[in-house]
Amino acid sequence: MSELTPEEVKHHIKTYVLVFIALAFLTIVTVGISYLDLGHVGGIILALIVASIKGTLVACYFMHLLDEKVTIYWTLIATVVAFLILIFVPLSAMLDHARI
Amino acid sequence: MSTDQYKQSFWTKYIWSTDHKIIGIQYGITSLVWLLFGFGLMMIMRYQLAYPDTPVPIVGALLGEGGLLPPEMYNSLGAMHGTIMIFLGVVPLAFGAFGNYFVPLQIGAIDMAFPKLNAASYWTYFAGSVIMATGFFVPGGAANSGWTSYPPLSEIATMGQTVWLIGMVMLITSSLLGSVNILVTVIQLRTDGLTWMRLPIFVWTQFITAFLLLLAFPPLEAAGVLQLMDRVVGTSFFMPSGLVVTGEVMTNAGGGSPLLWQHLFWFLAHPEVYVLILPAFGIVAEIIANNTRKPLAGYKALVYAMVFLAFMSFIVWAHHMYITGMGTSIGAFFQTTTMIISIPSVVILTALLLSLWGGSIRFNTPMLFALGFIPMFGIGGLTGLPLGLAAADIHLHDTYYVIGHFHYVVAPGTIFALFAGIYYWFPKITGKRTNELLGKLHFFFSLIFMNGVFMPMFIQGLAGVSRRLADGGQTYAHAADVIYLNEVMSYSAWLLGLAQIFFIINMVISLFGKKTGEKNPWDATTLEWTDTTSPPLGHGNFEIVPKVYRGPYEYSVPGEKQDFTPQSKKV
Amino acid sequence: MLEVLRRLGLPSVSASTQGPQIDNIISIVHWLMLILFVGWGAYFIFTLIKFRASKNPKADYKGVRNHYSSYIEGLVAVIEIALLFGFAFPIWASRVNDVPVGTEVVQIRVIGQQYLWNFHYPGPDGVFGKTSVYLVDEAENPIGLDRNDSFAKDDFYVPQMHIPVNTPINISLSTKDVIHNFKLPEFRVSQDAIPGMTIPVWFEATMTSDEFLKTTIGTKREGRGFEIACAQLCGLGHSKMRGYLNVYDSEGYSAWQVSEQEYLLEQEDDDDWGDDDW
Amino acid sequence: MDIPYTVKNRPDTGLYNGKLGVWLFLASEVMLFGGLFSAYIFLRTGVDDWPAGTEYLDVPLATLNTLFLISSSVTMVMSWASLKLNDFKKYKLYTLITLLFAFGFLVIKYFEYSAKFAHNPPYLPSTNNFLGIYFTMTGLHVLHIIGGILVIGYFYGPGSKMWNSDPERFTNRIEIVGLYWHFVDLVWIFLFPVLYLL
Ligand code: HEA
Ligand code: HEA
Ligand code: CUA
Ligand SMILES: [Cu+2]
């Protein structure tokens, strides 16, 4: 991001403010949802969806992931794959475990 | 870039250095000392295995009462042998030392991307290793729950385990710093013309290894923190409720699972074994290309196979856990991935073997070790196959068969490759040559005794003799037929120790020997032998930073005058 | 190959129904390993001799030109797939899923602890009585059996395992403290006991202890019968955590059951029993 | 001879070393917290009753904390943008606000923790696995916050001298610190619902 013109930077700043408002709003939304009674699974899924949206906003705009370079995309893809394996494979192994 | 531009005191030059070459040497010396120490522990243990309940000679006095090696101490030495060999010995030597020293040189960089971080990672390693060793002096002795540290045993263990955990967290941190550094260096600092497909295989292996370290180590760090919490603060992440230990009901809250630790541990520890082997592949490939005087067969196949191997290594870990009672679908999944991961290994070995065809093979010391590596790794790898099939693993799990399997890949495998690398690059580091006769003696004796130690393990393993038995199986009738082998193995281990004296003497006399003045004694093609300022050790690696015009192993190119064409030679 | 492996140490007795299956897969993989090793080994030595520098001073830039090696790699892959689908998966599925049920099945609870094994039999009613960790008393009541539970009245526990031959055995494996591994080398049975879990293990013995003892005559283990090993590091006594296994013919087993019941009656309130007929 | 691409981008990757380095570091952080999240899910699925976060934790305080972190994140990126616009004064101001929000987060966390310990009976990590994992995850996160404060504080104070000698490099450094700081924020964005709300 080292070759930005001042105009571009100013434009960025507007986005930052918008993103900030969105994040604050979504925070209130998650808290709000948690007070509704959506059932266990529904609540978890919704909360995680909102968190993911927030996370994506932070990553894409604050961390400028949207206009990053391929090297970084590749790194992150590898990381995400490893992360998903780490989360889901032990879980499914536990659920499949033989026991009485 | 001559040295005198950087007038430094001894301390800044050799101790707090940020020069990757110095740091590489620091890593190298520290890790060799640890290797020797870890081997020393094993020689003590082998005495106990051969002659249970008899006082250990020479070092007996250090062990305590009557020079005997009590079982808890045996377990300590075993756990520390495993930990030291892997985390303080082989990884820092293969990745820290070789990676640090030769990756920048082979890619035409003047240093690592982050020299200060590099120093920090060495010192974190050093501190972590010292902490690890202080475990021997705390009450109850060093960690004694195996290098795998399975809870609940490790949670009710003596204080040494806490020390072990703290040490591990530091070692992991150090590896993380190192891996970020290598990755950035390879991606950013390759010299002009050095495209990805022109990288020496050694650089590729280091690069892939760094990725494994980066992504596989942190979960163990997390697990280490959780186990520390369990031990220090009294949480029960790995402890179910209602355990009765030596008659007392445990009061912890419960709800935890011992299998959670095993998953997090092996999530690291399987990729870890490829961390041990990949740099070895790289060194061996380098030396084979050089000493057959011809290009490697299937450079691309090697690279793709290694990338695939690295990816697969993240999804095979539970083959260490079949016998915990794994279900059928997960069992099928992990057996399949384990069989799949053996294919790239076969491809790599095949490429190395085919590279010999049509060569003009020079049998110098590094080449002997590299050649020795191939069948020895072959034995180790092939014996991985029955372990990978859950049904066969029922009989072989946690027996000496497993010990035999992995020692063949790490000892006559990786350790041989590391010796090969040391002999091969010694002239690069010191400007001097090693003694060929001593080197060859070292090789042949090591080869014989390595097999003497590890081959009988398969026999004991097939008989069903468990590992980690402080009396070597004396208690069990099913071991009676094969127990005589314990003595064979122990003598081989001690003789293997003696054989290392050739190595040590060789290193010492070669260090004090005369400089040969050759810049490229092996007539090699890769950049570390071209236009460099080292030796003598100077800051900044190259007189003129070289540009690259061709692939890494252009040996015996038809129509060239010499039988090698350096990468930096203009077209 | 099986013969060779037996020479090399594999216990020559394979005394359970799954034993031969497991031996079979072990020996097939070893064929594969042997062929690969010998094949590549011969090639390896041949090239080292043929292409040594003194004989072949000028290396060939091109090297190998054919593709046989890819076929070999392909073949290895095919054989591995065959091993998986033909042997590994079915055997494993039967180990995990086909846990036998029914009246003729012998149910035993096996409870590991540092450093011995406890065997809990349900008695004639076929139902295990309740246990509780708070009743555990290492000397009097090591498995914490609650004698006030009506199902527990006829339960008994012993420090050695007794089973009938040719009968499915269904073990519920658990542990009181750390991880142990319940291993019967001659039966090709091995299963970790994980704290907090009860894991089913099943097998069917095909040979009685008496028959087995005959096969040991003249070997180094003469007179020493079936063993239970602990195959998972469990502390300083790990190497001594040996148990015994007695396989009876069906009359012998009934007789043993009866004697245990009589013993139970005799002892009534005195919980101090055991057996010593090993 | 200096190491290349410490300030300028390498043409073919379009990156300077530090930025690539910090992304790789963050990748490892993802796996570190990933290990803990994996443990959380594993433990939670493995037991029958898992307490609701609201039973033990203070949602309003945590909501406030979430807002604090989000705000500090936006001021962080603003301080970098100010440097891009050559406005060092604004940079200082935004960084100061970032630090204040970060401190605010710590203060609130301090009150949350001490309320747990002061509760009768005390809520300790050893009380149950929910509290155990809560303290472990938030504790590790707090360590990351403290680390961030130290670094941001350094670049607010002594480190900011570099602006005069090598502004481009200084801007890069702030970008790198920012990436780290946003990541810490991002982790919290997941920790908050996972621990407090589910
Ligand atoms: C460098 C280390 C390393 C490497 C490379 C490997 C490689 C493999 N390992 Fe191993 N393994 C360990 C280190 C390693 N392992 C360790 C340390 C343990 C024990 C940990 C503990 O419990 O403490 C272990 C344990 C272990 C187990 C668990 C056993 C148990 O506890 O019950 C299993 C099971 O599947 C396994 C499988 C494999 C397989 C299938 C491979 C495959 O990748 C192998 C593929 C290779 C080949 C198939 C060889 C091909 C070669 C040829 C065909 C050429 C032959 C050449 C000539 C003759 C010239 N390993
Ligand atoms: C990288 C890993 C590695 C290496 C290289 C080795 C090397 C050796 N190992 Fe080890 N071992 C393990 C990793 C390793 N081991 C692990 C993980 C375990 C399991 C632990 C557990 O149960 O938890 C184990 C367990 C283990 C056991 C089983 C113990 C038991 O279950 O009770 C045995 C038994 O014989 C053994 C023996 C040996 C021997 C004889 C060597 C020899 O090959 C050693 C040869 C060493 C050298 C050749 C180094 C020489 C160094 C120098 C010469 C340096 C010179 C120095 C200077 C110049 C300064 N090992
Ligand atoms: Cu019980 Cu080993
Ligand atoms: Cu493995």
Side-chain angles (χ1 to χ4, degrees):
Chain A
M1 303 284 310
S2 357
E3 299 87 12
L4 288 176
T5 62
E7 284 70 43
E8 283 171 318
V9 175
K10 289 202 178 104
H11 182 76
H12 270 271
I13 291 179
K14 281 205 198 90
T15 332
Y16 299 148
V17 177
L18 286 177
V19 170
F20 170 68
I21 295 169
L23 287 174
F25 174 71
L26 287 173
T27 306
I28 310 296
V29 171
T30 7
V31 179
I33 290 174
S34 79
Y35 286 106
L36 299 178
D37 199 11
L38 285 178
H40 200 54
V41 179
I44 291 184
I45 291 177
L46 206 58
L48 286 182
I49 289 178
V50 177
S52 306
I53 296 174
K54 287 165 72 184
T56 315
L57 285 175
V58 172
C60 289
Y61 293 102
F62 288 176
M63 300 171 88
H64 308 299
L65 201 52
L66 276 185
D67 34 29
E68 240 344 315
K69 299 295 178 297
V70 280
T71 316
I72 290 189
Y73 286 153
W74 278 114
T75 312
L76 292 184
I77 289 171
T79 312
V80 168
V81 172
F83 178 83
L84 293 176
I85 296 171
L86 175 61
I87 299 280
F88 289 107
V89 180
L91 185 66
S92 28
M94 175 183 72
L95 297 174
D96 190 40
H97 196 276
R99 76 196 112 171
I100 305 172
Chain B
M1 291 316 107
S2 63
T3 21
D4 46 31
Q5 215 179 317
Y6 294 83
K7 277 266 180 279
Q8 293 162 313
S9 74
F10 172 82
W11 282 91
T12 47
K13 189 160 174 210
Y14 293 111
I15 306 298
W16 306 117
S17 173
T18 54
D19 180 350
H20 74 101
K21 297 189 292 301
I22 302 278
I23 296 175
I25 292 171
Q26 290 176 325
Y27 260 118
I29 293 175
T30 320
S31 55
L32 276 173
V33 169
W34 281 118
L35 268 183
L36 195 60
F37 183 73
F39 188 21
L41 297 183
M42 186 39 74
M43 290 197 265
I44 301 174
M45 293 168 69
R46 288 275 12 149
Y47 190 83
Q48 162 77 7
L49 291 172
Y51 308 109
D53 305 320
T54 42
V56 183
I58 309 172
V59 289
L62 296 174
L63 302 174
E65 240 182 287
L68 293 172
L69 186 68
E72 61 275 27
M73 181 91 116
Y74 178 89
N75 291 348
S76 268
L77 297 189
M80 294 309 277
H81 163 77
T83 313
I84 287 175
M85 285 308 211
I86 291 184
F87 294 103
L88 307 187
V90 174
V91 176
L93 185 55
F95 184 70
F98 282 108
N100 246 312
Y101 204 106
F102 296 107
V103 166
L105 286 173
Q106 285 201 328
I107 63 174
I110 63 156
D111 204 317
M112 295 283 266
F114 309 113
K116 288 201 189 108
L117 194 69
N118 203 9
S121 96
Y122 170 74
W123 287 105
T124 318
Y125 155 64
F126 186 81
S129 73
V130 171
I131 289 180
M132 191 67 97
T134 54
F136 283 108
F137 306 104
V138 301
N144 53 12
S145 311
W147 81 289
T148 48
S149 284
Y150 281 1
L153 183 63
S154 57
E155 312 232 304
I156 60 178
T158 48
M159 194 180 143
Q161 182 66 22
T162 307
V163 178
W164 186 91
L165 286 166
I166 296 172
M168 281 306 284
V169 168
M170 296 191 67
L171 293 172
I172 293 171
T173 311
S174 150
S175 304
L176 285 178
L177 301 181
S179 65
V180 169
N181 218 338
I182 289 271
L183 287 170
V184 176
T185 307
V186 175
I187 294 175
Q188 293 282 94
L189 303 189
R190 280 168 293 123
T191 185
D192 287 349
L194 190 55
T195 57
W196 287 100
M197 284 301 153
R198 285 179 181 169
L199 285 180
I201 290 290
F202 176 77
V203 176
W204 266 112
T205 58
Q206 292 287 332
F207 181 73
I208 297 169
T209 304
F211 247 108
L212 291 181
L213 289 174
L214 186 78
L215 298 182
F217 256 143
L220 185 66
E221 188 153 17
V225 170
L226 294 178
Q227 198 179 99
L228 265 177
M229 293 288 285
D230 271 12
R231 287 182 56 90
V232 179
V233 200
T235 52
S236 0
F237 297 125
F238 304 126
M239 297 275 268
S241 57
L243 297 187
V244 187
V245 177
T246 54
E248 301 293 324
V249 181
M250 299 286 279
T251 53
N252 64 305
S257 165
L259 288 184
L260 173 59
W261 168 268
Q262 296 194 13
H263 280 298
L264 294 175
F265 180 84
W266 290 115
F267 186 91
L268 153 95
H270 188 88
E272 170 73 17
V273 309
Y274 293 97
V275 168
L276 301 175
I277 204 68
L278 279 171
F281 284 152
I283 295 171
V284 169
E286 219 57 27
I287 293 172
I288 285 191
N290 178 256
N291 288 305
T292 52
R293 314 306 295 160
K294 61 180 281 297
L296 288 176
Y299 174 91
K300 283 202 174 144
L302 270 172
V303 171
Y304 294 142
M306 288 188 303
V307 172
F308 183 61
L309 186 78
F311 169 70
M312 289 303 293
S313 75
F314 281 98
I315 44 175
V316 300
W317 79 82
H319 63 208
H320 299 270
M321 298 168 61
Y322 291 139
I323 310 300
T324 57
M326 188 177 290
T328 42
S329 34
I330 291 294
F333 174 74
F334 279 108
Q335 294 182 65
T336 311
T337 53
T338 303
M339 288 302 113
I340 292 175
I341 204 175
S342 67
I343 301 296
S345 304
V346 172
V347 172
I348 292 168
L349 265 267
T350 306
L352 294 179
L353 283 165
L354 292 187
S355 302
L356 300 174
W357 191 268
S360 166
I361 303 172
R362 307 189 300 209
F363 292 96
N364 43 35
T365 310
M367 185 60 167
L368 284 178
F369 274 102
L371 289 174
F373 170 89
I374 295 179
M376 293 298 111
F377 175 80
I379 297 179
L382 290 172
T383 50
L385 298 179
L387 299 175
L389 299 167
D393 194 43
I394 293 178
H395 184 61
L396 299 173
H397 175 68
D398 258 345
T399 62
Y400 265 90
Y401 197 93
V402 178
I403 304 277
H405 152 65
F406 75 77
H407 279 93
Y408 263 100
V409 271
V410 294
T414 304
I415 299 263
F416 269 21
L418 294 173
F419 280 141
I422 293 175
Y423 285 112
Y424 179 66
W425 276 309
F426 192 85
K428 174 79 237 165
I429 299 170
T430 60
K432 298 161 189 180
R433 286 266 205 155
T434 56
N435 182 306
E436 276 292 304
L437 177 66
L438 287 172
K440 284 182 177 151
L441 288 173
H442 178 211
F443 169 72
F444 283 108
F445 283 112
S446 295
L447 184 70
I448 294 168
F449 296 128
M450 284 276 187
N451 282 288
V453 190
F454 300 122
M455 192 60 90
M457 289 185 176
F458 294 125
I459 299 178
Q460 289 201 337
L462 281 171
V465 180
S466 297
R467 57 194 284 202
R468 295 168 169 171
L469 293 176
D471 63 2
Q474 269 220 323
T475 316
Y476 288 108
H478 66 265
D481 274 335
V482 290
I483 201 156
Y484 70 96
L485 289 169
N486 275 340
E487 241 178 299
V488 179
M489 292 191 269
S490 295
Y491 273 99
S492 302
W494 301 323
L495 290 169
L496 177 61
L498 285 183
Q500 305 314 311
I501 293 178
F502 292 120
F503 174 67
I504 297 175
I505 294 181
N506 199 349
M507 289 296 116
V508 174
I509 61 169
S510 308
L511 263 183
F512 290 103
K514 264 212 309 285
K515 286 210 165 153
T516 56
E518 308 160 289
K519 278 203 158 171
N520 189 358
W522 309 113
D523 292 340
T525 52
T526 40
L527 290 184
E528 79 269 33
W529 305 101
T530 335
D531 293 332
T532 54
T533 58
S534 67
L537 291 168
H539 202 87
N541 287 332
F542 298 94
E543 280 139 17
I544 320 140
V545 172
K547 284 196 168 60
V548 167
Y549 299 95
R550 66 194 75 240
Y553 306 115
E554 294 298 291
Y555 289 102
S556 303
V557 180
E560 289 274 337
K561 277 199 294 300
Q562 288 171 308
D563 72 347
F564 66 105
T565 319
Q567 282 193 282
S568 58
K569 191 173 168 218
K570 277 217 180 64
V571 228
Chain C
M1 179 53 82
L2 199 53
E3 264 321 300
V4 177
L5 291 176
R6 291 207 161 129
R7 284 270 145 76
L8 284 179
L10 190 70
S12 48
V13 166
S14 202
S16 66
T17 44
Q18 85 240 30
Q21 295 173 350
I22 290 174
D23 289 1
N24 199 15
I25 187 170
I26 292 183
S27 72
I28 294 173
V29 209
H30 278 82
W31 269 119
L32 173 67
M33 291 152 63
L34 188 74
I35 291 169
L36 278 175
F37 188 75
V38 171
W40 275 119
Y43 161 87
F44 181 62
I45 292 170
F46 176 73
T47 39
L48 291 189
I49 295 171
K50 180 167 154 101
F51 295 107
R52 63 187 191 274
S54 52
K55 169 116 181 306
N56 193 35
K58 183 87 188 75
D60 171 10
Y61 181 73
K62 281 260 171 52
V64 185
R65 277 170 212 152
N66 58 48
H67 292 282
Y68 293 131
S69 64
S70 320
Y71 305 140
I72 298 176
E73 286 155 13
L75 197 66
V76 174
V78 171
I79 297 175
E80 288 182 350
I81 292 170
L83 271 170
L84 284 175
F85 285 90
F87 299 89
F89 293 166
I91 299 179
W92 193 249
S94 107
R95 295 281 76 231
V96 178
N97 294 337
D98 301 349
V99 181
V101 283
T103 44
E104 81 284 8
V105 176
V106 174
Q107 307 267 354
I108 309 173
R109 284 183 67 224
V110 177
I111 305 116
Q113 76 178 73
Q114 289 175 328
Y115 302 99
L116 51 90
W117 298 101
N118 302 287
F119 302 91
H120 177 183
Y121 288 79
D125 67 356
V127 182
F128 292 108
K130 277 209 197 83
T131 56
S132 157
V133 289
Y134 297 102
L135 296 173
V136 169
D137 174 332
E138 290 305 341
E140 301 287 326
N141 189 359
I143 64 168
L145 187 63
D146 181 357
R147 285 286 177 198
N148 295 324
D149 180 29
S150 61
F151 292 119
K153 299 273 188 249
D154 58 347
D155 288 21
F156 58 94
Y157 43 84
V158 285
Q160 300 167 8
M161 184 157 144
H162 300 261
I163 55 169
V165 75
N166 295 331
T167 313
I169 314 291
N170 180 1
I171 292 173
S172 305
L173 183 64
S174 60
T175 163
K176 274 156 75 173
D177 38 40
V178 302
I179 304 178
H180 302 275
N181 183 303
F182 179 75
K183 174 164 181 143
L184 310 173
E186 292 88 4
F187 295 80
R188 314 291 188 266
V189 169
S190 170
Q191 172 62 52
D192 276 356
I194 309 282
M197 290 182 182
T198 304
I199 302 170
V201 192
W202 71 274
F203 67 100
E204 189 177 327
T206 55
M207 186 188 251
T208 64
S209 290
D210 289 340
E211 284 162 2
F212 177 66
L213 283 172
K214 282 191 202 112
T215 70
T216 66
I217 293 172
T219 68
K220 293 207 177 91
R221 66 176 299 176
E222 180 162 351
R224 298 165 80 184
F226 290 127
E227 280 177 329
I228 304 164
C230 175
Q232 179 65 261
L233 180 65
C234 52
L236 58 94
H238 165 60
S239 62
K240 302 267 189 280
M241 187 166 162
R242 177 175 54 158
Y244 300 99
L245 168 59
N246 235 325
V247 186
Y248 299 96
D249 52 20
S250 48
E251 296 93 74
Y253 184 67
S254 319
W256 176 74
Q257 290 263 326
V258 171
S259 73
E260 282 299 325
Q261 283 307 313
E262 283 167 1
Y263 198 59
L264 193 60
L265 289 175
E266 265 169 45
Q267 300 294 315
E268 211 54 297
D269 297 307
D270 179 7
D271 275 348
D272 186 29
W273 61 72
D275 67 346
D276 43 18
D277 54 356
W278 200 77
Chain D
M1 222 188 299
D2 284 321
I3 293 162
Y5 314 122
T6 41
V7 184
K8 291 275 184 250
N9 291 340
R10 178 180 165 113
D12 59 353
T13 57
L15 298 164
Y16 56 91
N17 299 344
K19 186 158 168 188
L20 180 58
V22 82
W23 272 109
L24 288 167
F25 171 69
L26 293 183
S28 83
E29 292 277 81
V30 169
M31 295 307 285
L32 175 67
F33 282 99
L36 293 176
F37 275 108
S38 181
Y40 167 86
I41 298 173
F42 193 98
L43 291 171
R44 178 171 180 162
T45 320
V47 295
D48 301 329
D49 53 333
W50 184 263
T54 40
E55 251 177 68
Y56 292 101
L57 308 177
D58 190 329
V59 177
L61 273 189
T63 312
L64 187 60
N65 245 351
T66 312
L67 293 175
F68 273 20
L69 270 196
I70 295 174
S71 313
S72 80
S73 227
V74 72
T75 53
M76 183 77 225
V77 73
M78 290 296 212
S79 70
W80 169 78
S82 315
L83 288 182
K84 279 276 163 201
L85 295 173
N86 259 326
D87 193 339
F88 188 67
K89 281 226 183 66
K90 268 229 181 97
Y91 157 78
K92 279 270 201 183
L93 178 69
Y94 278 126
T95 312
L96 189 63
I97 303 176
T98 310
L99 284 171
L100 288 179
F101 276 126
F103 270 116
F105 181 90
L106 286 186
V107 170
I108 292 186
K109 207 78 222 158
Y110 169 79
F111 283 117
E112 271 195 83
Y113 276 8
S114 40
K116 303 283 168 305
F117 297 140
H119 191 273
N120 189 19
Y123 292 157
L124 301 174
S126 54
T127 306
N128 59 31
N129 267 346
F130 170 75
L131 284 168
I133 201 95
Y134 161 79
F135 278 110
T136 313
M137 290 180 105
T138 54
L140 203 64
H141 182 255
V142 161
L143 286 182
H144 279 80
I145 299 268
I146 294 175
I149 289 181
L150 290 178
V151 179
I152 298 172
Y154 173 75
F155 286 119
Y156 176 76
S160 66
K161 283 200 205 87
M162 191 190 250
W163 175 251
N164 302 319
S165 55
D166 194 348
E168 201 175 349
R169 190 157 185 192
F170 184 66
T171 315
N172 284 348
R173 292 196 160 178
I174 297 305
E175 185 181 12
I176 291 174
V177 180
L179 283 172
Y180 169 80
W181 191 250
H182 301 314
F183 175 78
V184 176
D185 179 22
L186 206 152
V187 171
W188 181 258
I189 285 179
F190 283 94
L191 280 182
F192 171 54
V194 164
L195 292 173
Y196 287 79
L197 304 179
L198 298 185

